[in-house]
């Protein structure tokens, strides 16, 4: 690869983030695996190392400015300047609006929006210097509205506006910004939803697959494939886009 090849993936200890980190590694990137608990990323790091890739685990809360700054210091010292950032870290705090507490509103906004903002602001400095960068933000089909997710839907719709604005502001510096909006992906996040509504996860997946046009739920690898495309040098004329990876049309 002729361009710098260091990628940061947040929330990559498990789920979609782990899938994206592994895929970017197999694409040739050295990967910084950022998650709340550094030790929790051991599985992702080991999988990448076993496949012959390079990865470092970095513990950081993406919503904390000091921890984000420290994380970037480590990425640059241990791998080099990042050319790809995947803002994937996320949480859900689902409840119907009339029961939704302000703490659960603020927590979701903090991880998804403040986190993506802080990480991107830190990353763009290196990308602008290099006149090259790829920013990939995780939105969701919930951005279109989803019962019990007023906080999450607002955050994921916000991610789309954030992404389009990044594309406009950073485009002149060779930086693209795009969003991936997954539908139902089988991870601990969707497992937690099944538990909340009191349905076994397998049954929850079968129910979800029945209304998805391709008749299956998604896997982290489905999202990783889209991320691989947006992270590629050849995708340099694609920016400010939201791709729904949901087994059917969603917007
Ligand atoms: P997941 O299995 O719950 O994994 C999320 C990861 O993010 C966890 O390792 C979590 O760490 C980490 N994280 C949470 N808060 C963080 C913070 N403040 N700083 C750093 N890391 C943090 O979720 P997933 O299903 O893979 O989802 C990944 C992304 O895709 C999220 O943005 C999610 O909203 C989005 N998405 C998922 C689906 C789906 O169906 N699964 C659909 C649409 C969009 P802890 O374990 O320590 O909390």
């Amino acid at each position: 690869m002729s361009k710098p090849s260091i990628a940061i993936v947040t929330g990559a200890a498990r789920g979609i983030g782990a899938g994206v980190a592994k895929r970017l590694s197999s694409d040739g990137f050295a990967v910084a695996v950022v998650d709340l608990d550094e030790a929790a990323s051991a599985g992702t790091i080991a999988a990448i190392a076993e496949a012959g890739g390079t990865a470092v685990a970095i513990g950081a809360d993406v919503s904390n400015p000091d921890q984000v700054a420290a994380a970037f210091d480590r990425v640059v010292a241990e791998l080099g300047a990042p050319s790809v950032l995947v803002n994937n870290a996320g949480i859900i705090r689902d409840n119907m609006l009339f029961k939704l507490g302000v703490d659960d509103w603020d927590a979701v906004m903090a991880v998804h929006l403040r986190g993506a903002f802080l990480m991107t602001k830190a990353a763009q400095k290196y990308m602008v210097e290099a006149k090259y960068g790829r920013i990939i933000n995780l939105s969701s089909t919930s951005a279109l509205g989803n019962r019990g997710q007023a906080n999450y839907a607002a955050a994921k719709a916000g991610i789309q506006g954030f992404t389009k604005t990044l594309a406009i502001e950073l485009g002149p510096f060779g930086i693209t910004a795009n969003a991936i909006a997954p539908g139902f992906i089988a991870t601990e996040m969707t497992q937690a939803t099944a538990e909340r509504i009191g349905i076994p996860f397998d049954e929850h997946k079968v129910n979800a697959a029945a209304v998805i046009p391709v008749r299956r739920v998604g896997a982290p690898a489905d999202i990783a494939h889209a991320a691989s495309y947006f992270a590629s040098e050849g995708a340099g004329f694609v920016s400010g886009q939201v791709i729904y990876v949901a087994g059917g049309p969603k917007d």
Side-chain angles (χ1 to χ4, degrees), residues 4-202:
S5 56
I6 289 133
I8 300 174
V9 186
T10 69
R14 64 171 199 238
I16 292 171
V20 170
K22 287 184 252 181
R23 174 62 189 263
L24 293 183
S25 173
S26 67
D27 289 347
F29 291 92
V31 183
V33 173
V34 174
D35 212 292
L36 274 176
D37 173 15
E38 188 167 319
S41 295
T44 308
I45 300 293
I48 289 174
E50 271 165 35
T54 301
V56 294
I58 296 177
D61 176 348
V62 295
S63 69
N64 180 309
D66 294 337
Q67 292 185 31
V68 167
F72 272 82
D73 286 348
R74 275 196 59 196
V75 171
V76 173
E78 294 177 35
L79 295 176
S83 57
V84 172
L85 170 65
V86 184
N87 285 308
N88 167 83
I91 60 169
I92 47 173
R93 296 286 185 272
D94 296 354
N95 223 328
M96 295 296 284
L97 178 68
F98 75 101
K99 288 192 282 190
L100 187 57
V102 77
D103 287 353
D104 285 342
W105 177 272
D106 288 346
V108 167
M109 294 304 151
V111 179
H112 295 274
L113 288 177
R114 185 177 156 102
F117 159 65
L118 291 172
M119 290 296 297
T120 305
K121 191 172 176 189
Q124 59 80 35
K125 172 173 166 285
Y126 300 99
M127 295 176 180
V128 167
E129 270 169 22
K131 298 267 185 294
Y132 182 87
R134 300 279 181 263
I135 297 164
I136 301 158
N137 297 322
L138 268 291
S139 178
S140 168
T141 52
S142 294
L144 304 169
N146 200 25
R147 188 179 170 85
Q149 289 197 317
N151 49 359
Y152 184 78
K156 290 309 199 183
I159 283 288
Q160 296 191 11
F162 178 63
T163 302
K164 289 172 188 288
T165 303
L166 297 177
I168 293 165
E169 290 190 12
L170 300 175
F173 303 99
I175 302 165
T176 66
N178 291 286
I180 300 171
F184 189 116
I185 309 297
T187 67
E188 286 184 37
M189 185 178 274
T190 36
Q191 186 166 6
T193 302
E195 280 163 17
R196 183 177 61 82
I197 60 179
I199 300 177
F201 191 37
D202 282 342

